[in-house]
Amino acid sequence: MSTTNDIDMTRRNKRPRMISPNERTKLEEYVEQIHYSSRYSDDDFEYRHVQLPKSMLKVIPRDYMDGSRGTMKLLWEEEWRGLGITQVRTIHGSRRCGNRERFADHGRVRAELGLGALRGA
């Protein structure tokens, strides 16, 4: 098993697979239905679980899915951003750091997707 920072690299695409404009159009109707948990942290990372609407799974590209587990693969940042997932629900009123959300400068941020919830969603 290939790992980097405790991430099983065999569970993700070898390099980011970008969303096409046609795929993005299909995904846009679901972006407002994405549920974000409250943030929580430990000594090293800040976390936020994300639940995607079940109906959104039908339009997510198949190569984002891990068929052997029945879940999504671990996504690169470019991939989950392409799906419409953000680290901050809205940027209105938050401090910006370039094009990043306000807490991107707090060190490493691990994006943990609550993908186990997708099966029962």
Side-chain angles (χ1 to χ4, degrees):
M1 170 172 65
S2 172
T3 61
T4 301
N5 298 328
D6 298 328
I7 296 173
D8 180 356
M9 298 301 285
T10 65
R11 294 204 52 226
R12 71 177 359 175
N13 293 324
K14 292 189 187 318
R15 60 186 82 86
R17 190 275 206 196
M18 305 309 290
I19 297 285
S20 72
N22 185 41
E23 291 168 329
R24 182 73 186 134
T25 299
K26 291 177 184 176
L27 290 164
E28 285 176 354
E29 73 177 271
Y30 300 100
V31 171
E32 293 299 318
Q33 299 172 38
I34 296 172
H35 173 75
Y36 297 86
S37 73
S38 298
R39 289 187 207 118
Y40 57 97
S41 61
D42 59 22
D43 291 338
D44 298 314
F45 299 105
E46 184 173 56
Y47 302 90
R48 168 171 261 175
H49 286 256
V50 178
Q51 290 180 310
L52 305 178
K54 190 173 185 177
S55 54
M56 186 179 189
L57 295 176
K58 295 175 185 166
V59 296
I60 291 176
R62 291 217 180 266
D63 46 352
Y64 278 34
M65 305 305 284
D66 183 345
S68 67
R69 296 177 186 242
T71 62
M72 291 179 66
K73 293 179 179 178
L74 300 173
L75 301 178
W76 295 93
E77 179 177 358
E78 297 90 339
E79 292 173 324
W80 55 259
R81 286 189 182 274
L83 293 175
I85 297 168
T86 62
Q87 292 180 4
V88 177
R89 183 71 173 133
T90 178
I91 59 170
H92 179 69
S94 64
R95 182 172 59 85
R96 298 277 300 211
C97 179
N99 290 329
R100 300 286 182 184
E101 281 84 2
R102 68 175 174 80
F103 64 91
D105 61 342
H106 289 201
R108 285 182 12 194
V109 176
R110 177 185 281 178
E112 294 283 344
L113 302 179
L115 299 176
L118 290 176
R119 288 188 217 157

